[in-house]
Amino acid sequence: MGSLNQIVNVNIALSTTSVPRGVFGVPMVIAPLTTFTERVRVYLDYNAAQEDELPADVLKALRAVFSQTPRPQMCKVGRLDVGTEGKVAADTLAAQLSAIQAEDANWYGFALTERTPALQLAAAEWAETQTKMFFTSSAEAAITDASSTTDVLSSLSAKNYLRTAVIVDKHAAGQYLEMAWMGRCFTIAPGGETWALKQLSAVEASDWSATEQQTILKKGGNTFERFAPQIYLTTPGKVVSGEWVDVIRFRDWLADAIQTSLSTLMINRNKVPYTDGGIALIVNNLTGCLTEGQRVGGIAPDEIDADGNNVKGFVVTYPRSVDVPFQDKADRILNLAFSARLAGAIHLTNINGNLSYELQ
């Protein structure tokens, strides 16, 4: 008997491998626990956490997350082991955070229920080596003392950390502003948010004098306070180094988008040739990622300046194949570069007006 393979022989390869994108909207609260044995547990709502009979401080942190409008689809809880004295040892925290991440890396921002300065400094040091952000709060009185350089905020700022944000809170002993802050802002796509001017639910604001507020801001901290009757807002939305939180988060998102998109392209092709056509494949892929960065609001769109000139939101620089150095071709390395304008955000508007009987 004959076979249709003698007429038409069909072989279909699957080029469907997809490198998973990173997660930039899932918060995690990390606490010493005996409630469960796994390192990480996922909660989709507050009721599920109550049913697990978690410790009161963990429930407070989760309530802060799930009370926001809008709120994240989930929040994760990471388990820490306690030492012989019944407390988490600061010198073991980095290893324990790494163990949590090894079990489940699909989260981005984290906070600790135990917020001693030693643990806060250890957590910040660990976060700086990862693609994660550490959010914490403190009620330490010395923070508002302009002459103090040893309080936890001053100590963190002195390290110039880019992945740690501190919100100073007089009520930190009984609430988790940092979890509410993450819960509110993580619902917005990276690049489309600012961490300033956010209203937070189910948490109490602090009253600061103008002098206290300026001291907190100069030290690299943030506040949640009253701006007008019944209007309570976060400000200014920075990490302790002085950079904006949203810039760090968008940078992480963009790096992940470029890496995963280009990796998927190269894995699913038999070869990307070192020709102008092959270079164009990679350039177009990179351009697509940067265009997505514009769409979500992190990169500025093309705009027109005062002279009518078109100002690009981003520019990709790449070589022609014939101009690539021999050694780069021999090593199969392509060097590209791009420059992009951040869209930024407006936090303050100054308006100067004049009233008269005639237009001035």
Side-chain angles (χ1 to χ4, degrees), residues 326-360:
F326 168 80
Q327 193 59 52
D328 285 352
K329 275 195 173 180
D331 293 336
R332 302 191 170 188
I333 296 172
L334 174 63
N335 295 306
L336 303 179
F338 74 85
S339 177
R341 293 187 299 117
L342 286 169
I346 298 171
H347 289 172
L348 170 66
T349 302
N350 291 315
I351 300 174
N352 297 311
N354 180 65
L355 292 174
S356 69
Y357 289 103
E358 294 182 353
L359 289 180
Q360 302 296 308

Side-chain angles (χ1 to χ4, degrees), residues 115 136-140 143 166-178 203-208 216 222-224:
R115 295 173 296 199
T136 191
S137 62
S138 177
E140 188 178 350
I143 290 175
V166 179
I167 190 161
V168 185
D169 176 22
K170 291 180 179 180
H171 315 290
Q175 65 181 15
Y176 291 91
L177 268 180
E178 63 269 45
V203 285
E204 189 174 354
S206 298
D207 289 324
W208 302 107
I216 292 169
N222 301 271
T223 65
F224 177 58

Side-chain angles (χ1 to χ4, degrees), residues 44 80 100 106 130 136 141 177 186 193 209 214 253 270 297 306 317:
L44 303 181
L80 294 175
I100 289 170
N106 291 322
Q130 312 296 318
T136 191
L177 268 180
F186 276 1
E193 92 283 21
S209 69
Q214 288 306 306
W253 175 89
N270 290 330
T317 304

Side-chain angles (χ1 to χ4, degrees), residues 133-149:
M133 293 197 71
F134 173 49
F135 294 84
T136 191
S137 62
S138 177
E140 188 178 350
I143 290 175
T144 55
D145 180 355
S147 65
S148 171
T149 59

Side-chain angles (χ1 to χ4, degrees), residues 108-110 120-121 123-136 153 155-166 181 195 219-220 222 237-252 342:
Y108 182 64
F110 73 100
Q120 289 171 317
L121 289 166
E125 183 177 5
W126 180 84
E128 205 69 15
T129 67
Q130 312 296 318
T131 308
K132 305 291 184 188
M133 293 197 71
F134 173 49
F135 294 84
T136 191
L153 180 54
S155 298
L156 288 167
S157 297
K159 296 285 189 178
N160 206 37
Y161 286 139
L162 286 167
R163 295 186 171 277
T164 294
V166 179
W181 205 19
W195 289 65
K219 289 187 177 185
N222 301 271
K238 290 185 176 183
V239 296
V240 294
S241 70
E243 185 56 88
W244 302 105
V245 176
D246 56 273
V247 169
I248 302 301
R249 184 170 176 241
F250 177 70
R251 181 190 66 172
D252 289 345
L342 286 169

Side-chain angles (χ1 to χ4, degrees), residues 245-305:
V245 176
D246 56 273
V247 169
I248 302 301
R249 184 170 176 241
F250 177 70
R251 181 190 66 172
D252 289 345
W253 175 89
L254 183 61
D256 176 79
I258 293 170
Q259 184 179 58
T260 55
S261 182
L262 280 173
S263 296
T264 298
L265 167 71
M266 299 180 74
I267 289 170
N268 285 317
R269 298 184 69 90
N270 290 330
K271 180 175 77 169
V272 177
Y274 216 134
T275 61
D276 286 344
I279 293 172
L281 284 173
I282 292 178
V283 170
N284 290 339
N285 190 286
L286 173 58
T287 299
C289 294
L290 296 171
T291 301
E292 186 181 359
Q294 287 181 316
R295 181 184 61 79
V296 299
I299 296 176
D302 293 0
E303 295 174 309
I304 305 298
D305 67 15

